[in-house]
Amino acid sequence: MKKKLSLLLISVMVVLSACGQNNKENTPAATNNNAATDPPAVEKTTLTLGTSADYAPFEFHKMIDGKDTIVGFDIEIAREIAKDMNAELQIQDMDFDGLLLALDTGKVDMVISGLTPTEERKKNVDFSEIYYLTSQGVLVKKDQAEQFKSLDDLKGKKIGIQKGSIQEGIAQEIADAKLTALAKIPELILELKSGRVDAIILEKPVADQYAVAQTDIAVSEVKIEQPVEEAGVSIAVKKGNQDLLNKIDGTIARLKESGEIDRYVVEANELVGE
Amino acid sequence: MDLNFGFMAEYWPIFLRGALVTLELSFFGVALGTVLGVLFALMRISRFWPVKFLASTYIEIIRGTPMLVQIFIIHYGLTGFGINLPPFISGVVALTINSSAYMAEVFRAGIEAIDRGQTEAARSLGLSRGMALRYIVLPQAFRNMLPAIGNEFIIIIKDSSLISVIGIAELMYNARTVQSVTFSPMEPLLIACALYFIMTFTLSRLLAVLERKLRS
């Protein structure tokens, strides 16, 4: 019995470690360092990106050649950063509200997930330069779209937002609004369709995509004014990781200069619609 | 509510792969959990009180806290102690720990259900305490416990959906992925639901067959 148990334990362990090798299909294979033949070249390192890939066109899943791949313009930027650092990019997809925790505990090196650098967040992480300016969209049921013309129309209404997102802060400013904060966007859409919330506030490009795909919801005419510092999105690294931050800022400056970022946004939006 | 399952033509492999990972996670969780469960059950019936106390404490704590919290603590909390597990391993560890506590109780009940006379008879034939447990009590107990072990497997399959929060591409996680790709929130959940049911129902049928075999 004891022998059998330990045998079982060992065999399970072996299979487990084998499975552990290939459980993430969206991470590139490990690099082979041929130390023997290489001249003292730059060491290949890995750069781990944390993101919440349910946020088209920023980052989302897409079937490409029958393979589930994480794409989006945030991901393109991450690839460029990794390229500039001569590092291997690894992507870890998780819930949005787990991102900063993962950064803090060293599970990931950086977070790119349509993050707005708020004062609150700056206490816990360091942010790069702003790489993109967003605007907010308000999704409502199509047959109720007439009732939502301006921000005042949201007063006292039931509003859905993503937990831990910048929109949560916006919604908290609205007088008498009852908020529903959920982890994932599709869950919010369900809340709206079933009438449990009257409106959802989310990034305009994301809102647009849902309005196209779902016939019974629409983007309302509500405009939400934001100061520039609140509309920008940037990249988060662990507090004090100045070295990585400098490299990231370098890449952002290069991409802004060449207009690459705008091109990524357009491409990502096209990819969503396919 | 008009449902449109058109996306399945393109996305069925994602669901299938997710279901496979769910089964993998559950299998390891139950297998390792069984091994640990036996260990803790034996500790609990030990006559040496510190060992007994340790096992009881572990079982009570694990059974008395939500699995979701355990998952977060194992995946994120352990990094504070320099233990940085990849998500899949974190998931297996969480399921193992959780199922081992429940299994330990199943085993303990199974062992205690065997008539004391069996042990006494074995002892009077000259078997040591350990031998009596190993050759007389445990084999009988194991047969009685099979249904409970199977039930635990089914519970673990369902609970493994919680592991999606740390980003393992199992069935629930992949269902959410398809939700956000297709911008259709309801249908992928229904597919996931059906797949979970197929898995658990098949398993419970298999268990019923196994039970009949053992009884005859």
Side-chain angles (χ1 to χ4, degrees), chain A residues 16 23-24 61 63 93 101 105 107 186-187 190 209-210 213-214 272, chain B residues 10-11 14 28 75 79 84-85 88 167 173 176-177 179 181 183-185:
Chain A
L16 199 58
N23 63 55
K24 277 220 88 69
H61 287 262
M63 289 293 264
D93 182 15
L101 187 64
T105 54
K107 292 267 173 204
E187 290 160 11
L190 276 180
Q209 298 296 348
Y210 272 103
Q214 300 286 327
V272 178
Chain B
E10 190 183 356
Y11 290 107
I14 288 199
F28 289 128
H75 191 60
T79 51
N84 195 341
L85 301 170
F88 185 84
Y173 174 95
R176 284 173 140 189
T177 296
Q179 277 185 326
V181 181
F183 298 102
S184 56

PDB file of all heavy atoms in Angstrom, chain A residues 16 23-24 61 63 93 101 105 107 186-187 190 209-210 213-214 272, chain B residues 10-11 14 28 75 79 84-85 88 167 173 176-177 179 181 183-185:
ATOM      1  N   LEU A  16       2.250  15.725 -14.004  1.00  0.00           N
ATOM      2  CA  LEU A  16       1.876  17.098 -13.676  1.00  0.00           C
ATOM      3  C   LEU A  16       2.895  18.082 -14.215  1.00  0.00           C
ATOM      4  O   LEU A  16       2.552  19.076 -14.844  1.00  0.00           O
ATOM      5  CB  LEU A  16       1.796  17.244 -12.159  1.00  0.00           C
ATOM      6  CG  LEU A  16       1.017  18.423 -11.636  1.00  0.00           C
ATOM      7  CD1 LEU A  16      -0.389  18.360 -12.167  1.00  0.00           C
ATOM      8  CD2 LEU A  16       0.989  18.408 -10.131  1.00  0.00           C
ATOM      9  N   ASN A  23       0.703  24.268 -20.596  1.00  0.00           N
ATOM     10  CA  ASN A  23      -0.669  24.647 -20.297  1.00  0.00           C
ATOM     11  C   ASN A  23      -1.054  26.018 -20.841  1.00  0.00           C
ATOM     12  O   ASN A  23      -2.216  26.340 -20.939  1.00  0.00           O
ATOM     13  CB  ASN A  23      -0.949  24.573 -18.804  1.00  0.00           C
ATOM     14  CG  ASN A  23      -0.114  25.536 -18.021  1.00  0.00           C
ATOM     15  OD1 ASN A  23      -0.134  26.732 -18.297  1.00  0.00           O
ATOM     16  ND2 ASN A  23       0.618  25.063 -17.064  1.00  0.00           N
ATOM     17  N   LYS A  24      -0.088  26.847 -21.155  1.00  0.00           N
ATOM     18  CA  LYS A  24      -0.444  28.165 -21.693  1.00  0.00           C
ATOM     19  C   LYS A  24      -0.098  28.204 -23.161  1.00  0.00           C
ATOM     20  O   LYS A  24       1.043  28.157 -23.545  1.00  0.00           O
ATOM     21  CB  LYS A  24       0.284  29.281 -20.936  1.00  0.00           C
ATOM     22  CG  LYS A  24      -0.465  29.632 -19.671  1.00  0.00           C
ATOM     23  CD  LYS A  24      -0.514  31.098 -19.379  1.00  0.00           C
ATOM     24  CE  LYS A  24      -1.582  31.944 -19.932  1.00  0.00           C
ATOM     25  NZ  LYS A  24      -2.884  31.771 -19.451  1.00  0.00           N
ATOM     26  N   HIS A  61      -9.279  38.239 -27.165  1.00  0.00           N
ATOM     27  CA  HIS A  61      -8.941  36.946 -27.753  1.00  0.00           C
ATOM     28  C   HIS A  61      -9.474  36.890 -29.179  1.00  0.00           C
ATOM     29  O   HIS A  61     -10.515  37.446 -29.487  1.00  0.00           O
ATOM     30  CB  HIS A  61      -9.585  35.807 -26.962  1.00  0.00           C
ATOM     31  CG  HIS A  61      -8.945  35.563 -25.636  1.00  0.00           C
ATOM     32  ND1 HIS A  61      -8.018  34.579 -25.438  1.00  0.00           N
ATOM     33  CD2 HIS A  61      -9.090  36.186 -24.447  1.00  0.00           C
ATOM     34  CE1 HIS A  61      -7.639  34.584 -24.173  1.00  0.00           C
ATOM     35  NE2 HIS A  61      -8.273  35.554 -23.551  1.00  0.00           N
ATOM     36  N   MET A  63      -9.523  33.992 -32.674  1.00  0.00           N
ATOM     37  CA  MET A  63      -9.060  32.757 -33.293  1.00  0.00           C
ATOM     38  C   MET A  63      -8.248  33.123 -34.526  1.00  0.00           C
ATOM     39  O   MET A  63      -8.781  33.690 -35.469  1.00  0.00           O
ATOM     40  CB  MET A  63     -10.244  31.891 -33.706  1.00  0.00           C
ATOM     41  CG  MET A  63     -10.989  31.269 -32.554  1.00  0.00           C
ATOM     42  SD  MET A  63     -10.014  30.060 -31.672  1.00  0.00           S
ATOM     43  CE  MET A  63     -10.576  28.567 -32.443  1.00  0.00           C
ATOM     44  N   ASP A  93      -3.119  36.334 -18.955  1.00  0.00           N
ATOM     45  CA  ASP A  93      -4.458  36.904 -19.000  1.00  0.00           C
ATOM     46  C   ASP A  93      -5.152  36.627 -17.663  1.00  0.00           C
ATOM     47  O   ASP A  93      -5.078  35.522 -17.152  1.00  0.00           O
ATOM     48  CB  ASP A  93      -5.221  36.243 -20.149  1.00  0.00           C
ATOM     49  CG  ASP A  93      -6.609  36.799 -20.308  1.00  0.00           C
ATOM     50  OD1 ASP A  93      -6.890  37.865 -19.744  1.00  0.00           O
ATOM     51  OD2 ASP A  93      -7.415  36.163 -21.010  1.00  0.00           O
ATOM     52  N   LEU A 101      -2.556  43.392  -8.268  1.00  0.00           N
ATOM     53  CA  LEU A 101      -2.079  42.402  -7.305  1.00  0.00           C
ATOM     54  C   LEU A 101      -0.963  41.566  -7.928  1.00  0.00           C
ATOM     55  O   LEU A 101       0.066  41.320  -7.300  1.00  0.00           O
ATOM     56  CB  LEU A 101      -3.251  41.506  -6.889  1.00  0.00           C
ATOM     57  CG  LEU A 101      -3.014  40.510  -5.768  1.00  0.00           C
ATOM     58  CD1 LEU A 101      -2.714  41.232  -4.480  1.00  0.00           C
ATOM     59  CD2 LEU A 101      -4.231  39.616  -5.590  1.00  0.00           C
ATOM     60  N   THR A 105       2.914  41.374  -6.614  1.00  0.00           N
ATOM     61  CA  THR A 105       3.502  40.132  -6.118  1.00  0.00           C
ATOM     62  C   THR A 105       4.513  39.559  -7.107  1.00  0.00           C
ATOM     63  O   THR A 105       4.990  38.441  -6.924  1.00  0.00           O
ATOM     64  CB  THR A 105       2.407  39.081  -5.847  1.00  0.00           C
ATOM     65  OG1 THR A 105       1.622  38.930  -7.033  1.00  0.00           O
ATOM     66  CG2 THR A 105       1.512  39.501  -4.710  1.00  0.00           C
ATOM     67  N   LYS A 107       4.131  38.528 -10.162  1.00  0.00           N
ATOM     68  CA  LYS A 107       3.677  37.535 -11.137  1.00  0.00           C
ATOM     69  C   LYS A 107       3.897  38.061 -12.553  1.00  0.00           C
ATOM     70  O   LYS A 107       4.109  37.296 -13.476  1.00  0.00           O
ATOM     71  CB  LYS A 107       2.183  37.241 -10.947  1.00  0.00           C
ATOM     72  CG  LYS A 107       1.881  36.516  -9.668  1.00  0.00           C
ATOM     73  CD  LYS A 107       1.847  35.028  -9.880  1.00  0.00           C
ATOM     74  CE  LYS A 107       1.703  34.332  -8.542  1.00  0.00           C
ATOM     75  NZ  LYS A 107       2.201  32.966  -8.571  1.00  0.00           N
ATOM     76  N   PRO A 186     -18.645  41.158 -20.544  1.00  0.00           N
ATOM     77  CA  PRO A 186     -19.838  40.434 -21.011  1.00  0.00           C
ATOM     78  C   PRO A 186     -20.916  40.309 -19.936  1.00  0.00           C
ATOM     79  O   PRO A 186     -22.108  40.321 -20.232  1.00  0.00           O
ATOM     80  CB  PRO A 186     -19.276  39.054 -21.359  1.00  0.00           C
ATOM     81  CG  PRO A 186     -17.852  39.286 -21.668  1.00  0.00           C
ATOM     82  CD  PRO A 186     -17.414  40.402 -20.770  1.00  0.00           C
ATOM     83  N   GLU A 187     -20.494  40.225 -18.677  1.00  0.00           N
ATOM     84  CA  GLU A 187     -21.473  40.120 -17.594  1.00  0.00           C
ATOM     85  C   GLU A 187     -22.281  41.412 -17.484  1.00  0.00           C
ATOM     86  O   GLU A 187     -23.480  41.398 -17.196  1.00  0.00           O
ATOM     87  CB  GLU A 187     -20.747  39.806 -16.279  1.00  0.00           C
ATOM     88  CG  GLU A 187     -20.176  38.393 -16.268  1.00  0.00           C
ATOM     89  CD  GLU A 187     -19.081  38.184 -15.252  1.00  0.00           C
ATOM     90  OE1 GLU A 187     -18.866  39.059 -14.393  1.00  0.00           O
ATOM     91  OE2 GLU A 187     -18.423  37.125 -15.328  1.00  0.00           O
ATOM     92  N   LEU A 190     -24.903  41.487 -20.149  1.00  0.00           N
ATOM     93  CA  LEU A 190     -26.060  40.683 -19.742  1.00  0.00           C
ATOM     94  C   LEU A 190     -26.958  41.451 -18.790  1.00  0.00           C
ATOM     95  O   LEU A 190     -28.183  41.389 -18.887  1.00  0.00           O
ATOM     96  CB  LEU A 190     -25.601  39.391 -19.057  1.00  0.00           C
ATOM     97  CG  LEU A 190     -25.227  38.211 -19.950  1.00  0.00           C
ATOM     98  CD1 LEU A 190     -24.811  37.032 -19.104  1.00  0.00           C
ATOM     99  CD2 LEU A 190     -26.399  37.822 -20.833  1.00  0.00           C
ATOM    100  N   GLN A 209     -18.158  48.479 -30.391  1.00  0.00           N
ATOM    101  CA  GLN A 209     -18.153  47.092 -30.875  1.00  0.00           C
ATOM    102  C   GLN A 209     -19.385  46.327 -30.381  1.00  0.00           C
ATOM    103  O   GLN A 209     -19.990  45.578 -31.136  1.00  0.00           O
ATOM    104  CB  GLN A 209     -16.886  46.363 -30.393  1.00  0.00           C
ATOM    105  CG  GLN A 209     -15.593  46.963 -30.893  1.00  0.00           C
ATOM    106  CD  GLN A 209     -15.452  46.881 -32.401  1.00  0.00           C
ATOM    107  OE1 GLN A 209     -16.210  46.185 -33.071  1.00  0.00           O
ATOM    108  NE2 GLN A 209     -14.484  47.605 -32.934  1.00  0.00           N
ATOM    109  N   TYR A 210     -19.736  46.524 -29.118  1.00  0.00           N
ATOM    110  CA  TYR A 210     -20.908  45.821 -28.582  1.00  0.00           C
ATOM    111  C   TYR A 210     -22.186  46.282 -29.260  1.00  0.00           C
ATOM    112  O   TYR A 210     -23.081  45.480 -29.528  1.00  0.00           O
ATOM    113  CB  TYR A 210     -20.992  45.980 -27.063  1.00  0.00           C
ATOM    114  CG  TYR A 210     -20.223  44.911 -26.338  1.00  0.00           C
ATOM    115  CD1 TYR A 210     -18.980  45.190 -25.770  1.00  0.00           C
ATOM    116  CD2 TYR A 210     -20.710  43.620 -26.251  1.00  0.00           C
ATOM    117  CE1 TYR A 210     -18.251  44.198 -25.126  1.00  0.00           C
ATOM    118  CE2 TYR A 210     -19.988  42.623 -25.615  1.00  0.00           C
ATOM    119  CZ  TYR A 210     -18.761  42.915 -25.051  1.00  0.00           C
ATOM    120  OH  TYR A 210     -18.054  41.920 -24.437  1.00  0.00           O
ATOM    121  N   ALA A 213     -22.499  44.432 -32.464  1.00  0.00           N
ATOM    122  CA  ALA A 213     -22.755  42.997 -32.367  1.00  0.00           C
ATOM    123  C   ALA A 213     -24.124  42.666 -31.774  1.00  0.00           C
ATOM    124  O   ALA A 213     -24.715  41.648 -32.085  1.00  0.00           O
ATOM    125  CB  ALA A 213     -21.665  42.335 -31.534  1.00  0.00           C
ATOM    126  N   GLN A 214     -24.624  43.521 -30.901  1.00  0.00           N
ATOM    127  CA  GLN A 214     -25.897  43.251 -30.227  1.00  0.00           C
ATOM    128  C   GLN A 214     -26.968  44.204 -30.761  1.00  0.00           C
ATOM    129  O   GLN A 214     -26.835  45.416 -30.634  1.00  0.00           O
ATOM    130  CB  GLN A 214     -25.747  43.446 -28.709  1.00  0.00           C
ATOM    131  CG  GLN A 214     -24.727  42.537 -28.073  1.00  0.00           C
ATOM    132  CD  GLN A 214     -25.235  41.114 -27.958  1.00  0.00           C
ATOM    133  OE1 GLN A 214     -26.420  40.879 -27.760  1.00  0.00           O
ATOM    134  NE2 GLN A 214     -24.341  40.156 -28.104  1.00  0.00           N
ATOM    135  N   VAL A 272     -11.242  43.428 -34.821  1.00  0.00           N
ATOM    136  CA  VAL A 272     -12.439  43.121 -34.032  1.00  0.00           C
ATOM    137  C   VAL A 272     -13.613  42.857 -34.956  1.00  0.00           C
ATOM    138  O   VAL A 272     -14.384  41.926 -34.756  1.00  0.00           O
ATOM    139  CB  VAL A 272     -12.790  44.295 -33.096  1.00  0.00           C
ATOM    140  CG1 VAL A 272     -14.056  43.969 -32.324  1.00  0.00           C
ATOM    141  CG2 VAL A 272     -11.660  44.563 -32.138  1.00  0.00           C
TER     142      VAL A 272
ATOM    143  N   GLU B  10     -16.797  28.157 -35.354  1.00  0.00           N
ATOM    144  CA  GLU B  10     -15.399  28.566 -35.274  1.00  0.00           C
ATOM    145  C   GLU B  10     -14.787  28.277 -33.902  1.00  0.00           C
ATOM    146  O   GLU B  10     -13.602  27.983 -33.803  1.00  0.00           O
ATOM    147  CB  GLU B  10     -15.307  30.070 -35.571  1.00  0.00           C
ATOM    148  CG  GLU B  10     -13.889  30.543 -35.758  1.00  0.00           C
ATOM    149  CD  GLU B  10     -13.803  32.046 -35.985  1.00  0.00           C
ATOM    150  OE1 GLU B  10     -14.871  32.710 -36.062  1.00  0.00           O
ATOM    151  OE2 GLU B  10     -12.686  32.552 -36.061  1.00  0.00           O
ATOM    152  N   TYR B  11     -15.604  28.335 -32.864  1.00  0.00           N
ATOM    153  CA  TYR B  11     -15.027  28.327 -31.519  1.00  0.00           C
ATOM    154  C   TYR B  11     -15.131  27.015 -30.757  1.00  0.00           C
ATOM    155  O   TYR B  11     -14.710  26.940 -29.611  1.00  0.00           O
ATOM    156  CB  TYR B  11     -15.634  29.474 -30.686  1.00  0.00           C
ATOM    157  CG  TYR B  11     -15.168  30.817 -31.166  1.00  0.00           C
ATOM    158  CD1 TYR B  11     -16.010  31.669 -31.872  1.00  0.00           C
ATOM    159  CD2 TYR B  11     -13.866  31.233 -30.933  1.00  0.00           C
ATOM    160  CE1 TYR B  11     -15.561  32.891 -32.336  1.00  0.00           C
ATOM    161  CE2 TYR B  11     -13.417  32.447 -31.386  1.00  0.00           C
ATOM    162  CZ  TYR B  11     -14.272  33.272 -32.084  1.00  0.00           C
ATOM    163  OH  TYR B  11     -13.813  34.483 -32.537  1.00  0.00           O
ATOM    164  N   ILE B  14     -12.088  25.748 -28.806  1.00  0.00           N
ATOM    165  CA  ILE B  14     -11.768  26.447 -27.559  1.00  0.00           C
ATOM    166  C   ILE B  14     -12.519  25.819 -26.392  1.00  0.00           C
ATOM    167  O   ILE B  14     -11.950  25.583 -25.322  1.00  0.00           O
ATOM    168  CB  ILE B  14     -12.119  27.946 -27.667  1.00  0.00           C
ATOM    169  CG1 ILE B  14     -11.128  28.630 -28.592  1.00  0.00           C
ATOM    170  CG2 ILE B  14     -12.089  28.611 -26.299  1.00  0.00           C
ATOM    171  CD1 ILE B  14     -11.070  30.119 -28.456  1.00  0.00           C
ATOM    172  N   PHE B  28      -5.963  15.599 -11.440  1.00  0.00           N
ATOM    173  CA  PHE B  28      -4.817  15.737 -10.542  1.00  0.00           C
ATOM    174  C   PHE B  28      -5.273  16.138  -9.145  1.00  0.00           C
ATOM    175  O   PHE B  28      -4.743  15.651  -8.153  1.00  0.00           O
ATOM    176  CB  PHE B  28      -3.825  16.771 -11.082  1.00  0.00           C
ATOM    177  CG  PHE B  28      -3.101  16.291 -12.303  1.00  0.00           C
ATOM    178  CD1 PHE B  28      -3.070  17.056 -13.448  1.00  0.00           C
ATOM    179  CD2 PHE B  28      -2.462  15.068 -12.295  1.00  0.00           C
ATOM    180  CE1 PHE B  28      -2.398  16.603 -14.578  1.00  0.00           C
ATOM    181  CE2 PHE B  28      -1.787  14.611 -13.418  1.00  0.00           C
ATOM    182  CZ  PHE B  28      -1.763  15.385 -14.571  1.00  0.00           C
ATOM    183  N   HIS B  75      -2.191  31.450  -5.020  1.00  0.00           N
ATOM    184  CA  HIS B  75      -1.581  32.005  -6.231  1.00  0.00           C
ATOM    185  C   HIS B  75      -0.844  33.325  -5.965  1.00  0.00           C
ATOM    186  O   HIS B  75       0.265  33.522  -6.431  1.00  0.00           O
ATOM    187  CB  HIS B  75      -2.637  32.195  -7.310  1.00  0.00           C
ATOM    188  CG  HIS B  75      -2.047  32.518  -8.647  1.00  0.00           C
ATOM    189  ND1 HIS B  75      -1.183  31.663  -9.297  1.00  0.00           N
ATOM    190  CD2 HIS B  75      -2.165  33.596  -9.447  1.00  0.00           C
ATOM    191  CE1 HIS B  75      -0.814  32.210 -10.448  1.00  0.00           C
ATOM    192  NE2 HIS B  75      -1.385  33.369 -10.556  1.00  0.00           N
ATOM    193  N   THR B  79       3.539  34.309  -2.965  1.00  0.00           N
ATOM    194  CA  THR B  79       4.710  34.999  -3.529  1.00  0.00           C
ATOM    195  C   THR B  79       5.432  35.791  -2.441  1.00  0.00           C
ATOM    196  O   THR B  79       6.620  36.031  -2.543  1.00  0.00           O
ATOM    197  CB  THR B  79       4.307  35.959  -4.661  1.00  0.00           C
ATOM    198  OG1 THR B  79       3.257  36.784  -4.175  1.00  0.00           O
ATOM    199  CG2 THR B  79       3.863  35.218  -5.885  1.00  0.00           C
ATOM    200  N   ASN B  84       6.600  31.259  -6.080  1.00  0.00           N
ATOM    201  CA  ASN B  84       5.883  31.828  -7.219  1.00  0.00           C
ATOM    202  C   ASN B  84       5.463  30.716  -8.174  1.00  0.00           C
ATOM    203  O   ASN B  84       6.222  30.295  -9.030  1.00  0.00           O
ATOM    204  CB  ASN B  84       6.783  32.846  -7.925  1.00  0.00           C
ATOM    205  CG  ASN B  84       5.979  33.723  -8.868  1.00  0.00           C
ATOM    206  OD1 ASN B  84       4.874  33.373  -9.250  1.00  0.00           O
ATOM    207  ND2 ASN B  84       6.534  34.861  -9.240  1.00  0.00           N
ATOM    208  N   LEU B  85       4.253  30.220  -7.996  1.00  0.00           N
ATOM    209  CA  LEU B  85       3.783  29.084  -8.780  1.00  0.00           C
ATOM    210  C   LEU B  85       3.164  29.551 -10.092  1.00  0.00           C
ATOM    211  O   LEU B  85       2.488  30.571 -10.131  1.00  0.00           O
ATOM    212  CB  LEU B  85       2.733  28.295  -7.992  1.00  0.00           C
ATOM    213  CG  LEU B  85       3.161  27.734  -6.643  1.00  0.00           C
ATOM    214  CD1 LEU B  85       1.945  27.207  -5.887  1.00  0.00           C
ATOM    215  CD2 LEU B  85       4.171  26.625  -6.833  1.00  0.00           C
ATOM    216  N   PHE B  88      -1.235  27.070 -13.575  1.00  0.00           N
ATOM    217  CA  PHE B  88      -1.759  25.704 -13.615  1.00  0.00           C
ATOM    218  C   PHE B  88      -1.430  24.961 -12.323  1.00  0.00           C
ATOM    219  O   PHE B  88      -2.274  24.289 -11.739  1.00  0.00           O
ATOM    220  CB  PHE B  88      -1.183  24.936 -14.816  1.00  0.00           C
ATOM    221  CG  PHE B  88      -1.779  23.563 -14.994  1.00  0.00           C
ATOM    222  CD1 PHE B  88      -2.970  23.394 -15.680  1.00  0.00           C
ATOM    223  CD2 PHE B  88      -1.156  22.436 -14.471  1.00  0.00           C
ATOM    224  CE1 PHE B  88      -3.535  22.139 -15.838  1.00  0.00           C
ATOM    225  CE2 PHE B  88      -1.711  21.173 -14.620  1.00  0.00           C
ATOM    226  CZ  PHE B  88      -2.900  21.021 -15.315  1.00  0.00           C
ATOM    227  N   GLY B 167      -6.601  32.889 -14.278  1.00  0.00           N
ATOM    228  CA  GLY B 167      -6.180  32.902 -15.672  1.00  0.00           C
ATOM    229  C   GLY B 167      -5.663  31.586 -16.202  1.00  0.00           C
ATOM    230  O   GLY B 167      -4.694  31.540 -16.912  1.00  0.00           O
ATOM    231  N   TYR B 173     -13.134  29.742 -18.072  1.00  0.00           N
ATOM    232  CA  TYR B 173     -12.307  30.838 -18.573  1.00  0.00           C
ATOM    233  C   TYR B 173     -12.483  30.976 -20.089  1.00  0.00           C
ATOM    234  O   TYR B 173     -12.648  32.072 -20.618  1.00  0.00           O
ATOM    235  CB  TYR B 173     -10.853  30.530 -18.222  1.00  0.00           C
ATOM    236  CG  TYR B 173      -9.827  31.474 -18.777  1.00  0.00           C
ATOM    237  CD1 TYR B 173      -9.363  32.542 -18.025  1.00  0.00           C
ATOM    238  CD2 TYR B 173      -9.285  31.274 -20.043  1.00  0.00           C
ATOM    239  CE1 TYR B 173      -8.397  33.385 -18.523  1.00  0.00           C
ATOM    240  CE2 TYR B 173      -8.326  32.120 -20.545  1.00  0.00           C
ATOM    241  CZ  TYR B 173      -7.881  33.178 -19.783  1.00  0.00           C
ATOM    242  OH  TYR B 173      -6.929  34.006 -20.276  1.00  0.00           O
ATOM    243  N   ARG B 176     -15.708  32.519 -21.053  1.00  0.00           N
ATOM    244  CA  ARG B 176     -15.647  33.977 -20.910  1.00  0.00           C
ATOM    245  C   ARG B 176     -14.861  34.605 -22.052  1.00  0.00           C
ATOM    246  O   ARG B 176     -15.176  35.707 -22.503  1.00  0.00           O
ATOM    247  CB  ARG B 176     -14.986  34.346 -19.582  1.00  0.00           C
ATOM    248  CG  ARG B 176     -15.898  34.159 -18.392  1.00  0.00           C
ATOM    249  CD  ARG B 176     -15.130  34.378 -17.130  1.00  0.00           C
ATOM    250  NE  ARG B 176     -15.923  35.107 -16.146  1.00  0.00           N
ATOM    251  CZ  ARG B 176     -15.411  35.576 -15.011  1.00  0.00           C
ATOM    252  NH1 ARG B 176     -14.140  35.418 -14.750  1.00  0.00           N
ATOM    253  NH2 ARG B 176     -16.169  36.223 -14.160  1.00  0.00           N
ATOM    254  N   THR B 177     -13.831  33.897 -22.487  1.00  0.00           N
ATOM    255  CA  THR B 177     -13.065  34.371 -23.639  1.00  0.00           C
ATOM    256  C   THR B 177     -13.968  34.497 -24.856  1.00  0.00           C
ATOM    257  O   THR B 177     -13.986  35.526 -25.520  1.00  0.00           O
ATOM    258  CB  THR B 177     -11.925  33.379 -23.958  1.00  0.00           C
ATOM    259  OG1 THR B 177     -11.028  33.368 -22.869  1.00  0.00           O
ATOM    260  CG2 THR B 177     -11.183  33.785 -25.216  1.00  0.00           C
ATOM    261  N   GLN B 179     -17.132  34.756 -24.890  1.00  0.00           N
ATOM    262  CA  GLN B 179     -18.077  35.862 -24.637  1.00  0.00           C
ATOM    263  C   GLN B 179     -17.514  37.175 -25.152  1.00  0.00           C
ATOM    264  O   GLN B 179     -18.194  37.942 -25.821  1.00  0.00           O
ATOM    265  CB  GLN B 179     -18.277  36.045 -23.127  1.00  0.00           C
ATOM    266  CG  GLN B 179     -19.283  35.146 -22.483  1.00  0.00           C
ATOM    267  CD  GLN B 179     -19.450  35.527 -21.016  1.00  0.00           C
ATOM    268  OE1 GLN B 179     -18.507  35.950 -20.362  1.00  0.00           O
ATOM    269  NE2 GLN B 179     -20.667  35.398 -20.502  1.00  0.00           N
ATOM    270  N   VAL B 181     -15.006  37.723 -27.195  1.00  0.00           N
ATOM    271  CA  VAL B 181     -14.612  37.777 -28.606  1.00  0.00           C
ATOM    272  C   VAL B 181     -15.841  37.978 -29.486  1.00  0.00           C
ATOM    273  O   VAL B 181     -15.819  38.755 -30.428  1.00  0.00           O
ATOM    274  CB  VAL B 181     -13.921  36.460 -29.035  1.00  0.00           C
ATOM    275  CG1 VAL B 181     -13.508  36.553 -30.493  1.00  0.00           C
ATOM    276  CG2 VAL B 181     -12.720  36.189 -28.187  1.00  0.00           C
ATOM    277  N   PHE B 183     -18.772  39.051 -28.529  1.00  0.00           N
ATOM    278  CA  PHE B 183     -19.676  40.077 -28.014  1.00  0.00           C
ATOM    279  C   PHE B 183     -21.071  39.524 -27.778  1.00  0.00           C
ATOM    280  O   PHE B 183     -22.058  40.238 -27.870  1.00  0.00           O
ATOM    281  CB  PHE B 183     -19.734  41.290 -28.952  1.00  0.00           C
ATOM    282  CG  PHE B 183     -18.420  41.970 -29.110  1.00  0.00           C
ATOM    283  CD1 PHE B 183     -17.641  41.781 -30.230  1.00  0.00           C
ATOM    284  CD2 PHE B 183     -17.933  42.787 -28.102  1.00  0.00           C
ATOM    285  CE1 PHE B 183     -16.410  42.390 -30.346  1.00  0.00           C
ATOM    286  CE2 PHE B 183     -16.697  43.399 -28.223  1.00  0.00           C
ATOM    287  CZ  PHE B 183     -15.940  43.201 -29.349  1.00  0.00           C
ATOM    288  N   SER B 184     -21.152  38.219 -27.541  1.00  0.00           N
ATOM    289  CA  SER B 184     -22.454  37.650 -27.173  1.00  0.00           C
ATOM    290  C   SER B 184     -22.309  37.021 -25.795  1.00  0.00           C
ATOM    291  O   SER B 184     -21.584  36.046 -25.620  1.00  0.00           O
ATOM    292  CB  SER B 184     -22.903  36.621 -28.202  1.00  0.00           C
ATOM    293  OG  SER B 184     -21.938  35.627 -28.339  1.00  0.00           O
ATOM    294  N   PRO B 185     -22.940  37.613 -24.807  1.00  0.00           N
ATOM    295  CA  PRO B 185     -22.678  37.208 -23.430  1.00  0.00           C
ATOM    296  C   PRO B 185     -23.352  35.919 -22.964  1.00  0.00           C
ATOM    297  O   PRO B 185     -22.837  35.240 -22.098  1.00  0.00           O
ATOM    298  CB  PRO B 185     -23.173  38.392 -22.609  1.00  0.00           C
ATOM    299  CG  PRO B 185     -24.041  39.182 -23.504  1.00  0.00           C
ATOM    300  CD  PRO B 185     -23.755  38.811 -24.913  1.00  0.00           C
TER     301      PRO B 185
END
